[in-house]
Amino acid sequence: MNSDSPSRIYYTKPSITELEIGYATDAATNGWGEHCYDYIHRFEAMFRAHLGVKHAIATSSATGALHIGMAAMGIGAGDEVVLGDINWIASAAPIIYLGATPVLVDVLADSWCLDPAAVEASITPNTRAILAVHLYGNLCDMQALRDIGKRHGIPVIEDAAEAIGSVWHGQRAGSMGIFGAFSFHGTKTVTAGEGGIFVTNDDALYEKALTLSNHGRARGETRQFWPAMIGFKYKMSNMQAAIGCGQMERIEELMAGKRRVFDYYHDALRGLPLRMNPEPSGTTNGYWMPTIVVDHDVQFDREELLAKLKAQNIDGRVFFWPLSSLGLFKAISSHRVSDSLSRRAINLPSYHDMTKADLERVVSVLRPLLKKI
Ligand SMILES: *Cc1c(COP(=O)(O)O)cnc(C)c1O
């Protein structure tokens, strides 16, 4: 890029203010000795209050939170966990760490999340959980999934890493399943640099997860260095939690930023042959990542669009691939919705404080290209 090039528009970046910097500095300066967990405990309390859940355990990642949670449920070799085929690998990897099998099902064309009918059809005597991943802020059909779960005695887990701000009929995403997991990676709506959290309302599952998260040392064990089982080490540091606390104080503002960006695109792209993240009545979409899905009946070359954006120094991001297409799992040719969505969709830049000029620049590339098709 030469010096005349417009500045780069990142697909996402965190919103960090003096507040986060002040807390991180305080943690680095004073957060040691008896204060080494202060910000972690405060972060967990703030997150519990935001979500309306009883228990939370901060972790180093959402991947770790899912691993601990599924281990606490006793998921292991021979077990199956059902999830949508379109997903980031982080949702499936913990299932494999535990020696269990991810069972991939097709997704719905409107929500891009797992299809409840396909979930029900995939259930076997080995099914131990349904993993509801709320993709790009879009909510899974929790009513249908919980009904299926009830009928078959199978719990629903929520991977809400992309769904901060999403609400299903009064309940926040991540608060409805047997447990929920969130990510605070730098690309997510709320960040701690890296980080995650395990949340649940289930007292027994919480105790089990807490022990597992502490290298198998039970709360109340009086002997030092006495693990009762093999656990995990997926802890969040006090310094990350300090940044997380600043973000939680600003969570309304961060969520509003995502909505403002989505609303701008939604208005500006009206009339083009595409659909964006849905928000069915009775729900709120957290709009982590505004996404366009170009209609079936139009010729559309995703690579051409991404190249045009790149030429203007704008990041575009491909929609997730079907996991079954990666070569890591058995290929499944019958997942027509997943295959088609993945080829017709991209994620748009969406950092919280994008200016109107930034947004206009993105739209000025999209409009002419999509109008002519
Ligand atoms: C980001 C993400 C994860 C992984 O989060 P980490 O904190 O990077 O482990 C898991 N699931 C979904 C749906 C995600 O978007």
Side-chain angles (χ1 to χ4, degrees):
M1 291 285 159
N2 62 40
S3 57
D4 297 335
S5 303
S7 60
R8 176 156 168 207
I9 295 183
Y10 294 86
Y11 72 81
T12 184
K13 61 184 176 190
S15 165
I16 300 296
T17 64
E18 290 301 322
L19 184 66
E20 288 86 349
I21 294 166
Y23 286 167
T25 305
D26 178 50
T29 312
N30 306 307
W32 309 104
E34 72 262 39
H35 296 298
C36 73
Y37 298 117
D38 288 2
Y39 279 108
I40 298 172
H41 292 151
R42 194 160 128 198
F43 180 67
E44 288 171 340
M46 291 176 88
F47 205 80
R48 277 199 309 268
H50 165 73
L51 218 62
V53 292
K54 270 170 90 175
H55 307 291
I57 304 171
T59 57
S60 53
S61 65
T63 311
L66 286 166
H67 194 183
I68 289 172
M70 288 194 253
M73 287 172 67
I75 291 174
D79 294 337
E80 295 172 354
V81 177
V82 183
L83 73 162
D85 197 352
I86 293 246
N87 262 312
W88 173 226
I89 192 70
S91 304
I95 301 167
I96 294 167
Y97 300 161
L98 291 166
T101 304
V103 174
L104 304 172
V105 298
D106 208 0
V107 299
L108 293 172
D110 52 0
S111 71
W112 323 329
C113 294
L114 76 190
D115 177 349
V119 169
E120 186 143 37
S122 76
I123 287 174
T124 75
N126 298 325
T127 309
R128 290 293 315 279
I130 298 164
L131 179 55
V133 185
H134 304 297
L135 214 69
Y136 302 129
N138 301 359
L139 287 152
C140 299
D141 185 341
M142 289 305 290
Q143 184 65 49
L145 294 178
R146 283 189 296 194
D147 287 350
I148 293 167
K150 269 204 199 99
R151 272 204 296 285
H152 297 271
I154 297 167
V156 178
I157 301 166
E158 287 182 276
D159 179 345
E162 304 180 2
I164 282 185
S166 297
V167 185
W168 172 268
H169 299 278
Q171 288 179 287
R172 289 201 177 277
S175 71
M176 297 173 272
I178 182 165
F179 78 85
F182 288 85
S183 171
F184 307 110
H185 179 252
T187 56
K188 302 292 160 77
T189 298
V190 168
T191 192
E194 287 277 6
I197 204 162
F198 161 94
V199 295
T200 187
N201 285 312
D202 183 316
D203 297 336
L205 189 72
Y206 169 66
E207 287 300 332
K208 194 89 188 287
L210 192 64
T211 301
L212 284 172
S213 76
N214 198 20
H215 260 322
R217 290 172 293 187
R219 178 153 69 159
E221 171 60 65
T222 50
R223 288 167 292 188
Q224 265 190 315
F225 299 115
W226 196 269
M229 61 182 81
I230 296 294
F232 299 98
K233 183 63 193 295
Y234 284 136
K235 295 200 181 190
M236 179 183 276
S237 76
N238 199 50
M239 286 177 285
Q240 290 167 291
I243 293 178
C245 285
Q247 295 268 287
M248 289 307 293
E249 283 185 31
R250 297 177 53 230
I251 191 163
E252 294 298 332
E253 174 197 340
L254 296 174
M255 295 188 304
K258 286 288 184 180
R259 176 161 287 270
R260 180 185 61 85
V261 167
F262 180 88
D263 285 347
Y264 182 92
Y265 284 131
H266 194 247
D267 278 352
L269 300 175
R270 211 177 281 277
L272 296 177
L274 56 85
R275 280 191 289 172
M276 298 188 69
N277 314 52
E279 190 175 57
S281 72
T283 71
T284 303
N285 194 318
Y287 293 136
W288 171 55
M289 208 154 264
T291 300
I292 56 168
V293 181
V294 177
D295 289 351
H296 272 290
D297 52 353
V298 292
Q299 278 293 327
F300 164 67
D301 182 349
R302 184 178 70 178
E303 299 312 317
E304 184 191 356
L305 176 52
L306 290 170
K308 287 249 157 68
L309 287 168
K310 193 161 183 213
Q312 297 300 319
N313 213 11
I314 298 169
D315 289 354
R317 208 180 92 135
V318 299
F319 203 83
F320 293 130
W321 307 94
L323 293 173
S324 68
S325 73
L326 298 175
L328 295 171
F329 306 94
K330 201 168 65 145
I332 307 174
S333 57
S334 59
H335 287 175
R336 293 224 296 277
V337 181
S338 298
D339 284 338
S340 158
L341 267 178
S342 172
R343 279 182 278 108
R344 290 184 292 118
I346 71 159
N347 308 125
L348 303 178
S350 66
Y351 44 93
H352 318 71
D353 46 3
M354 278 183 88
T355 63
K356 193 143 180 278
D358 295 334
L359 289 160
E360 268 164 11
R361 258 175 73 196
V362 179
V363 168
S364 73
V365 178
L366 295 177
R367 258 209 160 272
L369 196 82
L370 292 168
K371 210 145 109 193
K372 82 173 197 274
I373 52 181

